[in-house]
Amino acid sequence: MSTIVARQPLPESRSSTGFRLAMLLPGGLVTFFLILFALGLVVFLALRSNDGSLLGAGFTFANFITVASDPLYWTVTLRSLAIAGLVTLATVVTAYPVAYYLAFHAGRRRGLLLFLVTLPFWTSYLLRVFAWKIVLAYNGVLNSALIESGIWSEPTLAFLNTPAAVVVTLAHAYAPFAILPIYVALDTIPKSLLEVASDLGARPFTSFRRVVLPNSMPGVLAAALVVFVPTVGDYVTPALVGGPASTMIGSLIQAQFGKANDWPFGAALAVAVMLVILAVVLVVRSADRRFGSRI
Amino acid sequence: MSVARIDAKQGGRWLGAYVLVYLVFLYLPVLLIPLFSFNDSIQAAFPLQGFTFEWYKTLSGNSALSGALVNSLVIGAIAATGATLCGITVSYMDLFGRSPLAATISAIARLPILIPGVIIGISLLILVNLIGFGPSRTAIVLGHILVALPTTVVIMKSRFAAIPKTIREAALDLGASDWTTFRRVMLPLSLPAIVSAFMLAFLTSFDEFIVAFFLAGTEPTLPLYIWSQLRFPKSLPTVMALGTAILAVSFVIAAIAEILRHRGLAAVRRPVPANLSKPEETERGELQWHST
């Protein structure tokens, strides 16, 4: 593998323009047209006033002023952030030990376990949310199981249609998202590093805190991001298990494009969500850099 | 040293127990759906009533359902083809294209993972209305290509990166054009990953709801059909029967995709020169590569 060869750059003539063009075309069309241009349209529409037409009329900041000044949108945005933050925290904290076991203890069962924890990721999200509705409903599994086993005598309404139901359901739905990046980060830590720590007299917890945890932070941050982003814009789970007290910003965007039929305002809400996500991404990246330098 | 090892072993046992509990948490709610799909009661509650196939019977002969199923299959197949094609070309050019444009395209192609589904949905809704064809099956296909794109790019990129660089360089040095190298060397070598990427993209599309919700015209996909049924308590058992069928098919497809992906990676890790050094294997001018 370590043969030293004087590398000559391949002659340019070999890379035909036709080849490059054909290979760049599908991805180029999709990324520039469907992603950049489409997102640009959202920003454009957010700056228009609603006159019922597709692209609105006249440029205005009115949509953004409403988003920023109406306390309703602050409440819902902060609630979305709180719920998404709680979901992210719960998911990452519960997923970490699983990833740790996979990386350091699973041995030959690793492949099977990895498959088992990622499998639910490929099954219908809608069905997973629906499953929690079955569990938490007034006539549901949890209530009927509690009464059958004699723990409670009356079914309770306290499970369904609460922010807590939203957090549990989303933490369940996005669990596989969190395990994989943390596992990958843990798996790349050289085992020799742990032996060194132990030889130098570090107790297991100390070497976890000083060696394993900091080195796995890039994975933890990546996991946090891939859980947070879809969660903050979700509108299915709040609609199915959340009740009115857990309306999230995704539900408001959906309503503007549906019933309310005020697309420019819905677009402004979407831009606000993207700004929030951008802020989170920037914070995570700066944290990532700090941890990156410690490795 | 030995004390530490015993500690680690015990820690491992506790962690193992935790992983078991976690798996129960992961699977128990989902497994309730098949359980209640055979339960002879409208209510999904304990104690279980009699065993019945009633809800499965109501599935057959439902034209709205079969229409939605066909839509999902067609949309899934086209979207997965598109996403896989983009995943292959984007990651190939990112790794071997040596151009800033290819790197930019690759970076943007992985961006949809940082965009919530609701925003992908509305941005494409505005776009397809602007183009003129509006919400339709085509619109959902475009949406699902976007949703599946990060997955296919990541799978294909890790696969191309795992193929030793020397193989591609050898092909180019032996006079194969870029096209020939791509088509007869790199594509066959990455075939298991391509199939895996396709299947996972298909599953993503088949199960996707949030984006499709905005882009559906008059013909719903299967998740949209399920969503429309969730409002009626009487149809919930049937939804669970349908859900059971979907879960079973999804599990099987995901399992096959996973096996293919691993088989592909294992084939790459095998010593390369053993195959390449035999001249008789390349006498027809192509590299035979058996990834069994």
Side-chain angles (χ1 to χ4, degrees):
Chain A
M1 286 310 279
S2 59
T3 341
I4 296 164
V5 181
R7 281 272 166 77
Q8 298 266 323
L10 294 169
E12 263 322 296
S13 59
R14 275 205 179 136
S15 228
S16 72
T17 326
F19 177 78
R20 300 179 63 91
L21 200 67
M23 293 289 284
L24 287 173
L25 200 64
L29 277 179
V30 166
T31 52
F32 286 104
F33 196 57
L34 294 186
I35 301 177
L36 291 185
F37 181 65
L39 287 180
L41 275 178
V42 176
V43 179
F44 175 84
L45 195 61
L47 291 164
R48 307 283 280 180
S49 63
N50 187 26
D51 68 342
S53 70
L54 174 59
L55 289 176
F59 285 96
T60 172
F61 281 107
N63 297 318
F64 287 110
I65 292 168
T66 312
V67 173
S69 60
D70 190 328
L72 168 72
Y73 300 108
W74 281 103
T75 313
V76 176
T77 305
L78 290 177
R79 184 192 295 148
S80 308
L81 282 173
I83 289 180
L86 273 175
V87 171
T88 307
L89 187 71
T91 315
V92 169
V93 167
T94 52
Y96 197 97
V98 179
Y100 188 90
Y101 183 84
L102 280 166
F104 295 116
H105 293 286
R108 292 182 57 203
R109 277 164 299 180
R110 179 189 283 196
L112 178 69
L113 281 175
L114 260 177
F115 175 67
L116 282 178
V117 294
T118 49
L119 186 59
F121 170 77
W122 300 113
T123 67
S124 173
Y125 163 70
L126 199 57
L127 286 175
R128 277 179 280 162
V129 180
F130 175 57
W132 278 101
K133 196 175 168 135
I134 300 176
V135 172
L136 300 170
Y138 181 74
N139 294 315
V141 170
L142 193 54
N143 266 322
S144 57
L146 283 171
I147 290 165
E148 278 290 301
S149 58
I151 296 174
W152 281 355
S153 53
E154 287 284 305
T156 171
L157 277 168
F159 298 139
L160 200 62
N161 297 332
T162 56
V166 177
V167 172
V168 172
T169 305
L170 285 173
H172 177 260
Y174 290 108
F177 279 80
I179 295 172
L180 273 189
I182 302 175
Y183 160 72
V184 170
L186 285 170
D187 199 41
T188 51
I189 299 174
K191 300 280 184 292
S192 53
L193 224 55
L194 296 177
E195 281 163 27
V196 169
S198 142
D199 283 352
L200 290 174
R203 297 175 143 275
F205 184 69
T206 312
S207 72
F208 171 77
R209 196 170 53 86
R210 305 278 299 266
V211 179
V212 177
L213 193 58
N215 277 303
S216 65
M217 275 321 268
V220 169
L221 293 172
L225 216 52
V226 290
V227 174
F228 181 84
V229 168
T231 304
V232 79
D234 190 68
Y235 63 86
V236 175
T237 304
L240 278 179
V241 301
S246 19
T247 304
M248 284 168 69
I249 194 84
S251 321
L252 291 188
I253 297 174
Q254 190 251 307
Q256 296 305 319
F257 279 81
K259 265 179 241 153
N261 205 18
D262 189 347
W263 288 22
F265 189 64
L269 285 172
V271 172
V273 172
M274 283 312 290
L275 288 177
V276 167
I277 289 174
L278 188 67
V280 172
V281 170
L282 290 177
V283 169
V284 166
R285 284 191 75 175
S286 75
D288 206 14
R289 213 164 292 145
R290 176 145 23 109
F291 283 108
S293 66
R294 284 172 74 168
I295 298 173
Chain B
M1 195 57 188
S2 62
V3 174
R5 204 169 283 156
I6 290 165
D7 275 4
K9 250 191 181 165
Q10 275 190 336
R13 211 166 296 151
W14 279 110
L15 270 176
Y18 175 81
V19 172
L20 266 182
V21 173
Y22 192 89
L23 284 175
V24 170
F25 165 71
L26 221 48
Y27 281 89
L28 203 57
V30 178
L31 292 180
L32 288 173
I33 293 176
L35 181 69
F36 286 116
S37 74
F38 295 109
N39 188 30
D40 193 8
S41 162
I42 295 278
Q43 292 293 352
F46 291 115
L48 293 169
Q49 310 295 314
F51 182 90
T52 179
F53 279 117
E54 178 72 25
W55 317 120
Y56 287 88
K57 278 183 202 142
T58 57
L59 283 181
S60 57
N62 180 338
S63 64
L65 169 63
S66 49
L69 176 66
V70 170
N71 273 334
S72 272
L73 291 174
V74 170
I75 288 169
I78 301 175
T81 308
T84 310
L85 178 71
C86 291
I88 293 170
T89 52
V90 165
S91 54
Y92 190 83
M93 291 312 275
D94 186 16
L95 281 171
F96 307 116
R98 282 183 299 172
S99 84
L101 180 65
T104 311
I105 289 177
S106 171
I108 303 172
R110 279 169 286 163
L111 198 62
I113 213 164
L114 289 179
I115 308 171
V118 58
I119 293 177
I120 293 182
I122 62 159
S123 70
L124 285 180
L125 177 62
I126 302 167
L127 182 74
V128 295
N129 274 316
L130 191 68
I131 300 170
F133 59 81
S136 56
R137 289 204 286 193
T138 318
I140 301 181
V141 165
L142 296 180
H144 285 180
I145 288 178
L146 282 195
V147 177
L149 195 58
T151 314
T152 59
V153 170
V154 168
I155 291 178
M156 292 316 299
K157 205 175 161 182
S158 72
R159 174 60 185 200
F160 284 135
I163 298 172
K165 273 205 179 79
T166 45
I167 293 183
R168 181 174 164 275
E169 284 168 8
L172 290 171
D173 277 348
L174 289 171
S177 70
D178 272 318
W179 271 116
T180 315
T181 310
F182 176 67
R183 200 166 53 81
R184 305 192 74 163
V185 180
M186 300 305 274
L187 278 190
L189 277 178
S190 52
L191 192 61
I194 294 173
V195 178
S196 164
F198 177 87
M199 288 174 126
L200 295 182
F202 178 84
L203 273 188
T204 306
S205 165
F206 194 76
D207 285 337
E208 205 284 330
F209 171 79
I210 293 178
V211 172
F213 182 79
F214 288 93
L215 303 172
T218 50
E219 300 164 309
T221 62
L222 209 49
L224 290 165
Y225 173 80
I226 294 176
W227 175 258
S228 73
Q229 295 301 303
L230 287 182
R231 266 175 296 158
F232 313 111
K234 271 194 178 165
S235 58
L236 290 187
T238 315
V239 168
M240 288 193 272
L242 176 60
T244 307
I246 295 175
L247 287 179
V249 174
S250 298
F251 276 28
V252 170
I253 296 180
I256 295 172
E258 187 69 11
I259 290 167
L260 280 170
R261 207 171 58 83
H262 277 284
R263 186 174 281 190
L265 287 176
V268 162
R269 281 197 212 100
R270 262 195 275 150
V272 176
N275 258 347
L276 291 185
S277 60
K278 290 180 194 158
E280 61 269 23
E281 287 198 0
T282 55
E283 68 190 357
R284 283 183 295 143
E286 62 180 286
L287 296 169
Q288 295 288 331
W289 199 270
H290 307 286
S291 53
T292 41

